[in-house]
mmCIF file of all heavy atoms in Angstrom:
data_model
loop_
_atom_site.group_PDB
_atom_site.id
_atom_site.type_symbol
_atom_site.label_atom_id
_atom_site.label_comp_id
_atom_site.label_asym_id
_atom_site.label_seq_id
_atom_site.Cartn_x
_atom_site.Cartn_y
_atom_site.Cartn_z
ATOM 1 N N GLY A 390 3.782 -5.878 21.504
ATOM 2 C CA GLY A 390 2.409 -6.281 21.181
ATOM 3 C C GLY A 390 2.306 -7.373 20.135
ATOM 4 O O GLY A 390 1.229 -7.913 19.893
ATOM 5 N N GLY A 391 3.429 -7.717 19.477
ATOM 6 C CA GLY A 391 3.402 -8.765 18.459
ATOM 7 C C GLY A 391 3.317 -8.226 17.036
ATOM 8 O O GLY A 391 3.356 -8.972 16.080
ATOM 9 N N ILE A 392 3.168 -6.903 16.912
ATOM 10 C CA ILE A 392 3.112 -6.289 15.580
ATOM 11 C C ILE A 392 4.361 -5.416 15.422
ATOM 12 O O ILE A 392 4.511 -4.412 16.119
ATOM 13 C CB ILE A 392 1.834 -5.456 15.397
ATOM 14 C CG1 ILE A 392 0.619 -6.390 15.467
ATOM 15 C CG2 ILE A 392 1.859 -4.709 14.068
ATOM 16 C CD1 ILE A 392 -0.701 -5.729 15.377
ATOM 17 N N PRO A 393 5.284 -5.799 14.523
ATOM 18 C CA PRO A 393 6.525 -5.030 14.376
ATOM 19 C C PRO A 393 6.334 -3.770 13.527
ATOM 20 O O PRO A 393 5.357 -3.646 12.795
ATOM 21 C CB PRO A 393 7.453 -6.015 13.662
ATOM 22 C CG PRO A 393 6.526 -6.882 12.868
ATOM 23 C CD PRO A 393 5.240 -6.965 13.641
ATOM 24 N N ILE A 394 7.271 -2.851 13.642
ATOM 25 C CA ILE A 394 7.307 -1.686 12.752
ATOM 26 C C ILE A 394 7.961 -2.165 11.453
ATOM 27 O O ILE A 394 9.050 -2.740 11.476
ATOM 28 C CB ILE A 394 8.123 -0.533 13.372
ATOM 29 C CG1 ILE A 394 7.430 -0.006 14.631
ATOM 30 C CG2 ILE A 394 8.317 0.597 12.361
ATOM 31 C CD1 ILE A 394 8.241 0.991 15.435
ATOM 32 N N VAL A 395 7.280 -1.954 10.328
ATOM 33 C CA VAL A 395 7.782 -2.400 9.028
ATOM 34 C C VAL A 395 7.644 -1.280 8.000
ATOM 35 O O VAL A 395 6.964 -0.286 8.258
ATOM 36 C CB VAL A 395 7.007 -3.640 8.511
ATOM 37 C CG1 VAL A 395 7.262 -4.861 9.382
ATOM 38 C CG2 VAL A 395 5.516 -3.353 8.414
ATOM 39 N N ILE A 396 8.291 -1.474 6.831
ATOM 40 C CA ILE A 396 8.048 -0.519 5.738
ATOM 41 C C ILE A 396 7.165 -1.144 4.657
ATOM 42 O O ILE A 396 6.884 -0.531 3.654
ATOM 43 C CB ILE A 396 9.358 0.033 5.127
ATOM 44 C CG1 ILE A 396 10.186 -1.085 4.493
ATOM 45 C CG2 ILE A 396 10.158 0.823 6.137
ATOM 46 C CD1 ILE A 396 11.221 -0.572 3.511
ATOM 47 N N GLN A 397 6.699 -2.382 4.907
ATOM 48 C CA GLN A 397 5.815 -3.046 3.948
ATOM 49 C C GLN A 397 4.554 -2.234 3.696
ATOM 50 O O GLN A 397 4.086 -2.156 2.563
ATOM 51 C CB GLN A 397 5.421 -4.431 4.460
ATOM 52 C CG GLN A 397 6.398 -5.490 4.061
ATOM 53 C CD GLN A 397 5.910 -6.877 4.423
ATOM 54 O OE1 GLN A 397 5.328 -7.096 5.468
ATOM 55 N NE2 GLN A 397 6.171 -7.826 3.558
ATOM 56 N N ASP A 398 4.004 -1.661 4.764
ATOM 57 C CA ASP A 398 2.775 -0.881 4.580
ATOM 58 C C ASP A 398 3.017 0.291 3.631
ATOM 59 O O ASP A 398 2.236 0.548 2.717
ATOM 60 C CB ASP A 398 2.197 -0.418 5.920
ATOM 61 C CG ASP A 398 3.184 0.362 6.793
ATOM 62 O OD1 ASP A 398 4.390 0.405 6.462
ATOM 63 O OD2 ASP A 398 2.750 0.909 7.818
ATOM 64 N N MET A 399 4.147 0.972 3.803
ATOM 65 C CA MET A 399 4.481 2.099 2.929
ATOM 66 C C MET A 399 4.614 1.638 1.474
ATOM 67 O O MET A 399 4.140 2.309 0.560
ATOM 68 C CB MET A 399 5.770 2.765 3.399
ATOM 69 C CG MET A 399 6.086 4.046 2.656
ATOM 70 S SD MET A 399 7.519 4.877 3.357
ATOM 71 C CE MET A 399 8.711 4.542 2.096
ATOM 72 N N MET A 400 5.232 0.491 1.258
ATOM 73 C CA MET A 400 5.379 -0.045 -0.101
ATOM 74 C C MET A 400 4.013 -0.380 -0.707
ATOM 75 O O MET A 400 3.773 -0.142 -1.886
ATOM 76 C CB MET A 400 6.257 -1.304 -0.094
ATOM 77 C CG MET A 400 7.674 -1.064 0.327
ATOM 78 S SD MET A 400 8.482 0.112 -0.774
ATOM 79 C CE MET A 400 9.998 0.376 0.070
ATOM 80 N N ALA A 401 3.116 -0.917 0.123
ATOM 81 C CA ALA A 401 1.765 -1.241 -0.346
ATOM 82 C C ALA A 401 1.009 0.034 -0.707
ATOM 83 O O ALA A 401 0.351 0.109 -1.746
ATOM 84 C CB ALA A 401 1.010 -2.032 0.719
ATOM 85 N N PHE A 402 1.134 1.064 0.152
ATOM 86 C CA PHE A 402 0.458 2.342 -0.133
ATOM 87 C C PHE A 402 0.996 2.939 -1.435
ATOM 88 O O PHE A 402 0.234 3.404 -2.276
ATOM 89 C CB PHE A 402 0.666 3.355 0.996
ATOM 90 C CG PHE A 402 0.235 2.891 2.365
ATOM 91 C CD1 PHE A 402 0.722 3.512 3.499
ATOM 92 C CD2 PHE A 402 -0.647 1.823 2.528
ATOM 93 C CE1 PHE A 402 0.337 3.101 4.763
ATOM 94 C CE2 PHE A 402 -1.035 1.395 3.797
ATOM 95 C CZ PHE A 402 -0.542 2.035 4.918
ATOM 96 N N LEU A 403 2.314 2.912 -1.571
ATOM 97 C CA LEU A 403 2.939 3.492 -2.770
ATOM 98 C C LEU A 403 2.516 2.761 -4.042
ATOM 99 O O LEU A 403 2.366 3.382 -5.089
ATOM 100 C CB LEU A 403 4.469 3.460 -2.653
ATOM 101 C CG LEU A 403 5.098 4.595 -1.844
ATOM 102 C CD1 LEU A 403 6.581 4.333 -1.626
ATOM 103 C CD2 LEU A 403 4.888 5.950 -2.501
ATOM 104 N N SER A 404 2.301 1.460 -3.941
ATOM 105 C CA SER A 404 1.878 0.729 -5.141
ATOM 106 C C SER A 404 0.549 1.274 -5.650
ATOM 107 O O SER A 404 0.367 1.470 -6.851
ATOM 108 C CB SER A 404 1.812 -0.777 -4.875
ATOM 109 O OG SER A 404 0.769 -1.086 -3.994
ATOM 110 N N GLY A 405 -0.374 1.571 -4.744
ATOM 111 C CA GLY A 405 -1.652 2.145 -5.155
ATOM 112 C C GLY A 405 -1.535 3.585 -5.606
ATOM 113 O O GLY A 405 -2.121 3.988 -6.615
ATOM 114 N N LEU A 406 -0.748 4.372 -4.869
ATOM 115 C CA LEU A 406 -0.611 5.800 -5.180
ATOM 116 C C LEU A 406 0.112 6.024 -6.507
ATOM 117 O O LEU A 406 -0.215 6.944 -7.258
ATOM 118 C CB LEU A 406 0.148 6.515 -4.051
ATOM 119 C CG LEU A 406 -0.526 6.514 -2.675
ATOM 120 C CD1 LEU A 406 0.410 7.093 -1.630
ATOM 121 C CD2 LEU A 406 -1.846 7.262 -2.689
#
Side-chain angles (χ1 to χ4, degrees):
I392 296 177
I394 295 172
V395 293
I396 63 161
Q397 272 187 321
D398 55 350
M399 187 174 107
M400 296 300 172
F402 304 160
L403 278 171
S404 68
L406 297 173

